[in-house]
Amino acid sequence: MLNKMKTDYMGWILLIGVVLIFLEIAFTGGGLLFSLAFSIGCIYVGRKFTKRTIGKVLFFIGLISLIINVLNMFVFKFFLMAILIYLLFLYYQSKKNPDWVSPILTNDDSDEEKINKERLLKTDYLFKNKFFGHQQTAEHVYEWNSVNVQGGIGDTVIDLSKTILPKGDAVISIRNIIGNITVLVPYGIEIRVHHSIIAGRARIFENKPESRVFNQIYSYQTEGFNETDHKVHIITSILVGDLEVKRI
């Protein structure tokens, strides 16, 4: 029943949005259509000649013009308000009718004893989630723990030569807004790198970085990664910055 209500609401929102688009075009005349057509035309021509300077200029002019036109449209403001109201409605429904999950327990005394004896041990971590500041591993020998952090603005340096990696995958997962990430890997350790970036470069060992620097995904691994016992899986995501992985 609730799913049907959600579908009905979405249908009404889309229908009202379409009507508002026609009304906005009717009241604003051909000005809105001309502006949208001009923006889309610039984007299309810019994409066709993206290797030339004029193509890049036309693409960004069209993109900025399209964003401004859409933001000034009443229908955009309507959809924004509708989404906000819909999210508030979902939140209200979740509070009013929460999902209850009840575990099914057997009468086996041994199972109950195992559940009662189960304990969690808190482990140390190498990095903290920091919005500002530089972070790096200790300069002395340290005990390895998988890295999974979110950063804001600042550089991160991980030196794997000062620790003993366990068998299997040693995972390094870092998400940064602005900053460089450097991973120092000893010889003999196989790696896999999956790197996502909006603006920046990635340099893996001695390979030259690719020429493109915008909105890239890099995925590499060494030849013996699948066969070795000790390997490092590096997963990074940066808005603006560089990734460098090098041997020491």
Side-chain angles (χ1 to χ4, degrees), residues 32-43 58 61-62 65 69:
L32 178 62
L33 288 176
F34 175 78
S35 298
L36 292 175
F38 173 78
S39 303
I40 295 171
C42 287
I43 293 173
L58 285 174
I61 289 175
S65 176
N69 284 323

Side-chain angles (χ1 to χ4, degrees), residues 72-92:
N72 287 329
M73 290 176 65
F74 177 78
V75 69
F76 172 79
K77 299 172 185 176
F78 165 77
F79 273 114
L80 202 62
M81 184 62 66
I83 291 171
L84 178 60
I85 294 173
Y86 182 65
L87 292 176
L88 290 174
F89 171 75
L90 291 180
Y91 177 76
Y92 170 75

Side-chain angles (χ1 to χ4, degrees), residues 5-106:
M5 290 175 60
K6 292 178 181 178
T7 304
D8 291 341
Y9 287 142
M10 293 303 295
W12 276 107
I13 290 173
L14 290 174
L15 180 60
I16 295 172
V18 171
V19 172
L20 287 175
I21 289 175
F22 281 107
L23 289 176
E24 187 158 5
I25 292 174
F27 282 107
T28 58
L32 178 62
L33 288 176
F34 175 78
S35 298
L36 292 175
F38 173 78
S39 303
I40 295 171
C42 287
I43 293 173
Y44 177 77
V45 174
R47 290 279 294 178
K48 296 288 283 186
F49 300 97
T50 185
K51 294 183 179 180
R52 301 180 182 178
T53 303
I54 186 64
K56 295 177 181 178
V57 172
L58 285 174
F59 177 80
F60 282 108
I61 289 175
L63 184 62
I64 294 171
S65 176
L66 182 63
I67 292 173
I68 293 174
N69 284 323
V70 171
L71 290 177
N72 287 329
M73 290 176 65
F74 177 78
V75 69
F76 172 79
K77 299 172 185 176
F78 165 77
F79 273 114
L80 202 62
M81 184 62 66
I83 291 171
L84 178 60
I85 294 173
Y86 182 65
L87 292 176
L88 290 174
F89 171 75
L90 291 180
Y91 177 76
Y92 170 75
Q93 289 292 332
S94 66
K95 288 293 184 181
K96 186 178 179 181
N97 302 306
D99 294 331
W100 290 89
V101 179
S102 300
I104 300 175
L105 302 177
T106 63

Side-chain angles (χ1 to χ4, degrees), residues 23 26 54 60 66 73 100 116 123 139 148 150 155 163 186 205 228 240 243:
L23 289 176
I54 186 64
F60 282 108
L66 182 63
M73 290 176 65
W100 290 89
N116 292 333
T123 59
E139 296 182 358
N148 182 16
Q150 292 82 36
D155 296 339
T163 188
F205 300 149
T228 187
V240 179
L243 169 68

